Amino acid sequence: STSTDTGTAPAPAAAPAAAAAVVVGRRCITPFDNGNGHECESEDDGAALSVGRLRPRGPCLRPEPHLRARPGADLGADLGPQLRANPGAEQPADPGSYALPDDTPDCDASLMTATFDGTTYTGANLQFLIETLWNSTKAEYDNVVERWENEREMWESEETYLSDMNEIKCALEYKNSSIGNCKPHWKKESMSEKVLTTLKVAESYNRMIDVVATLTGALFLYIAKFGYLARTVGMVTVSSIKTTIVFDILTSSLAVLAWWSFGYGLAFGKDNYPESGDNGLYGGDNFFSTNFNDLSSLIGGGDDTTESAKTHADFLLHLGLSLICVGIPVGTLAERATIHFTILSAAIIGVVIYPVVAHVFWDENGWFSPYREKKLLFDCGVVDTAGAGVVHLTGAVVALAAAVIIDARRERWTMNEDSAKPVLQPKPQYSPAFEAFGCVIVFVTSLATSAFCVREFTDDGATVGRAIINNLICSGTSAFTACIFGHYYTGVVSPQLAGGGMIAGIATIASGCAVVTPEGAFIMGFVGGIAYYMGGALLITIRVDDVSHAISMHGFAGVVGLIMTGLFADPVFYEQAFYDTRYYDSGCYGMFYNGGPTAVLTQSYGAMTIIAYAGTISTLVFGIYHLAIGGRFPEKMLEQGLDSCRMGGETPYTNAAHKPDPLKYAKIDGGGNEFDED
């Protein structure tokens, strides 16, 4: 229509209904025509809303800027009374209340019309209709948005739960190293991600093999503990069998508690020596093994499951090594040391001595450790793969200090009328069979121990096999050598020398079993057997009573093994066992392989450190205790026999085997026939 009474130019024709849109504030109400709505041209215009069959006509439908609503605000409240007209009110005559499009010079708002449900609306009525439709649509829209937000939160929660469940399922099915590394099956992975995932799974499997190998080595160590006990029982007299068994069990029990409470934390706790240069002697956490109380260390969570399993396996392996070290003085002190003195030796080894030595030599942050690349002792570190120094030499030094302080067994050395000095008196041992049985057990278990003390079983398979072969060669050679020397000097082939020589060979090769050649193992076994025999002879000369030969087996042979590793460490084998480039620069391999004196000096320094530290601590503690309380049973009790005085009587096996049983041949019906001993 046109304006007839204002004199203005005729209004332009209305835009097609399908293209027209009513814009109120920043909201865009798109007309609904034949089911097709038109959205706003930009995000600034807000969301498109259909208002049913409203078909506005006329070009003047955009309010002035001062009439536009804030985004998200109440449209009716913002536009105020200017858009709140009664349906029956007259149309406003002022065309300035509305803004004309840029391409429309003249526009009369009173001429705007719209048809809705068959009714035509103009002016104020049209404005009221638009406001009503908008408020209704906005309320419905807000309701829909609210419901959508609630459903979205529920969906996200369900998605998170489902994702967690799928990751757990993935970890259980594929035994992945961590639940966090498992990806839900519906997520797409790139090729690089798939490769990384595969590598992580493979690494997890390798780690689990290392865990199984370490646990196997730990199990054989506990069996070896039984072998040492059987050997000691076979070497004592019949009057001290029960006492020896009880003492060994009590010291082993104390060693377990000591390792759990303080030993493991001191040996493998936190230490920043490579970075700061401080400490390097002991660890500072994991006391009472608190890390084992964390459930996440068992089922995954924040920690890697295989790493946690390896920690548990290492704990058990080194507990077994601690038990062997603690048991060494028990055999030496048998038949005269009190239970308190023997337990004291176990306590200082399990809490003070062994954990510190283990940390210095075996922890990656330890002072002498070769298992890192910087701040190494003489640029090499001390090689002690299976404990020639940490286990054997440490226990032997403590045993030597204790044996010197509490003196020998009763009547071990006596003065004869025709001699100017005390003469050694032999003590009848209980059972050579028990002794031999224990030696064989120790020998068999040592093969697994030397092999599984290699840290990375899957990566160092050749090193593991080499350690076993070297152990066999060295222990056999040492036993043969000890018997030959014994026969040469005494004319007797002693089973004690055969068994003791075998264990001496185990102690000798324990240091370099992973880095020496079979030829080197043979020479080390030969020298180790000589050291065992000569060491025992030296102890007899200075009247140190070593019941189980532990000092000569573990101590003298252990020193020889540590030092000779610096002579026979093969450069290729050293490269396989430790870091690839170290030996090229520092000459850490054997001196017989043109390695120079560095390795020998390093190994000798490590042996002297163990002797100084363990000897000083044990001598001070044992000396003070013996002077204050006493560490030896009374002579009268030793004369009567410890089992008779303390354990309810001697073991009757020997005599019972020769006594006839009067009921053996008696008739079952109780007839009057008497037993005829003939």
Side-chain angles (χ1 to χ4, degrees):
S1 62
T2 59
S3 176
T4 57
D5 53 352
T6 59
T8 59
V22 177
V23 179
V24 182
R26 293 184 181 271
R27 298 290 183 174
C28 181
I29 303 178
T30 304
F32 189 89
D33 192 345
N34 297 325
N36 297 320
H38 299 272
E39 295 199 0
C40 298
E41 295 179 358
S42 65
E43 293 181 1
D44 187 61
D45 290 332
L49 298 176
S50 174
V51 292
R53 294 184 299 278
L54 178 62
R55 294 182 177 86
R57 293 187 177 89
C60 308
L61 297 180
R62 184 181 299 275
E64 287 280 5
H66 69 277
L67 298 178
R68 298 192 179 193
R70 298 186 306 274
D74 186 352
L75 183 62
D78 284 324
L79 296 182
Q82 299 187 51
L83 293 181
R84 296 180 183 276
N86 295 326
E90 296 183 358
Q91 300 178 14
D94 184 8
S97 299
Y98 298 90
L100 294 174
D102 295 337
D103 57 349
T104 307
D106 297 319
C107 179
D108 188 354
S110 64
L111 301 180
M112 290 172 27
T113 62
T115 303
F116 182 74
D117 284 340
T119 305
T120 301
Y121 295 86
T122 60
N125 293 333
L126 177 58
Q127 296 171 0
F128 181 78
L129 173 64
I130 292 173
E131 181 182 357
T132 302
L133 293 175
W134 165 249
N135 289 336
S136 175
T137 305
K138 180 177 180 297
E140 183 178 357
Y141 170 78
D142 291 341
N143 189 27
V144 170
V145 170
E146 182 179 0
R147 291 201 308 269
W148 181 83
E149 290 287 346
N150 295 334
E151 292 177 0
R152 184 175 64 85
E153 293 178 0
M154 295 176 60
W155 177 80
E156 289 179 348
S157 177
E158 292 293 332
E159 184 186 42
T160 302
Y161 175 78
L162 183 61
S163 175
D164 293 342
M165 291 300 102
N166 276 278
E167 290 182 3
I168 295 176
K169 179 181 178 182
C170 170
L172 294 177
E173 288 182 352
Y174 299 101
K175 297 180 175 61
N176 205 319
S177 60
S178 173
I179 291 179
N181 291 335
C182 272
K183 295 182 179 296
H185 64 278
W186 66 82
K187 292 184 178 180
K188 294 182 178 180
E189 292 182 302
S190 63
M191 182 58 66
S192 60
E193 290 177 334
K194 291 181 180 180
V195 171
L196 290 176
T197 302
T198 303
L199 291 177
K200 289 181 179 179
V201 173
E203 182 181 357
S204 176
Y205 282 131
N206 290 342
R207 201 62 171 165
M208 290 306 299
I209 294 175
D210 292 338
V211 170
V212 174
T214 304
L215 290 175
T216 304
L219 175 62
F220 276 97
L221 277 172
Y222 299 127
I223 299 175
K225 187 67 178 71
F226 169 73
Y228 282 111
L229 173 60
R231 184 177 185 277
T232 303
V233 168
M235 296 185 71
V236 300
T237 61
V238 70
S239 62
S240 302
I241 295 174
K242 294 180 180 179
T243 305
T244 302
I245 294 174
V246 171
F247 283 16
D248 189 89
I249 293 175
L250 291 180
T251 53
S252 298
S253 302
L254 180 62
V256 173
L257 297 177
W259 184 251
W260 166 71
S261 57
F262 297 102
Y264 180 75
L266 290 172
F268 298 101
K270 185 178 180 180
D271 182 10
N272 293 323
Y273 173 73
E275 289 76 19
S276 62
D278 299 330
N279 197 354
L281 300 176
Y282 55 85
D285 60 357
N286 286 332
F287 299 114
F288 294 92
S289 300
T290 54
N291 60 316
F292 298 149
N293 298 328
D294 186 6
L295 185 60
S296 64
S297 67
L298 298 176
I299 63 173
D303 298 332
D304 187 75
T305 305
T306 53
E307 289 298 327
S308 176
K310 189 64 167 63
T311 301
H312 288 71
D314 289 338
F315 176 90
L316 295 174
L317 177 69
H318 289 282
L319 172 58
L321 294 170
S322 175
L323 287 174
I324 300 300
C325 185
V326 166
I328 291 174
V330 175
T332 298
L333 303 176
E335 299 193 269
R336 76 257 196 207
T338 63
I339 180 63
H340 306 93
F341 190 87
T342 307
I343 289 179
L344 177 64
S345 70
I348 64 171
I349 292 176
V351 176
V352 180
I353 297 178
Y354 176 80
V356 173
V357 176
H359 181 84
V360 170
F361 281 78
W362 282 344
D363 188 79
E364 292 185 1
N365 299 319
W367 184 19
F368 293 172
S369 174
Y371 299 104
R372 61 174 182 268
E373 298 185 71
K374 61 180 180 180
K375 277 192 178 297
L376 297 164
L377 179 66
F378 300 128
D379 294 328
C380 292
V382 180
V383 177
D384 191 10
T385 305
V390 176
V391 178
H392 298 280
L393 179 57
T394 300
V397 171
V398 176
L400 176 61
V404 171
I405 289 174
I406 68 169
D407 207 358
R409 287 173 288 178
R410 180 179 178 272
E411 296 182 351
R412 180 58 169 160
W413 280 272
T414 60
M415 293 292 297
N416 296 334
E417 295 180 358
D418 56 348
S419 63
K421 60 180 181 180
V423 178
L424 177 68
Q425 301 297 325
K427 289 284 186 179
Q429 67 180 101
Y430 166 62
S431 173
F434 263 62
E435 178 193 357
F437 178 64
C439 288
V440 172
I441 292 178
V442 172
F443 168 69
V444 173
T445 55
S446 68
L447 301 179
T449 302
S450 60
F452 297 130
C453 280
V454 176
R455 298 198 167 196
E456 302 295 335
F457 184 78
T458 53
D459 295 337
D460 298 329
T463 305
V464 172
R466 185 185 314 117
I468 296 176
I469 294 173
N470 288 336
N471 197 325
L472 285 168
I473 295 174
C474 185
S475 57
T477 305
S478 179
F480 198 80
T481 303
C483 289
I484 291 177
F485 271 74
H487 183 268
Y488 177 80
Y489 283 104
T490 64
V492 176
V493 178
S494 170
Q496 289 185 347
L497 291 178
M502 182 179 292
I503 297 178
I506 295 171
T508 302
I509 199 62
S511 174
C513 59
V515 296
V516 302
T517 63
E519 296 81 4
F522 173 80
I523 299 175
M524 291 176 68
F526 180 77
V527 178
I530 297 175
Y532 161 63
Y533 183 84
M534 294 300 181
L538 176 63
L539 292 177
I540 293 175
T541 302
I542 62 178
R543 295 199 295 274
V544 174
D545 189 10
D546 183 8
V547 178
S548 62
H549 298 186
I551 299 174
S552 53
M553 282 191 315
H554 300 281
F556 287 92
V559 169
V560 167
L562 274 175
I563 297 175
M564 294 189 71
T565 299
L567 298 174
F568 292 98
D570 184 88
V572 177
F573 297 160
Y574 189 94
E575 176 187 359
Q576 294 175 355
F578 299 100
Y579 293 97
D580 296 345
T581 59
R582 177 188 302 168
Y583 72 91
Y584 287 113
D585 301 328
S586 57
C588 296
Y589 50 95
M591 190 167 67
F592 289 165
Y593 294 89
N594 299 322
T598 304
V600 176
L601 293 176
T602 304
Q603 298 294 116
S604 302
Y605 192 87
M608 290 187 295
T609 301
I610 292 176
I611 295 172
Y613 175 70
T616 302
I617 297 295
S618 57
T619 300
L620 289 176
V621 174
F622 290 152
I624 294 173
Y625 184 88
H626 186 62
L627 291 175
I629 301 176
R632 184 183 176 91
F633 282 114
E635 290 297 320
K636 185 175 182 180
M637 187 178 295
L638 295 176
E639 181 181 359
Q640 295 176 353
L642 296 179
D643 286 359
S644 297
C645 297
R646 292 287 186 178
M647 303 297 166
E650 294 182 1
T651 305
Y653 297 146
T654 303
N655 295 331
H658 298 283
K659 290 182 179 180
D661 184 0
L663 301 178
K664 184 175 181 180
Y665 299 99
K667 291 185 177 181
I668 298 177
D669 59 0
N673 296 333
E674 295 182 359
F675 174 71
D676 187 357
E677 291 187 357
D678 296 335

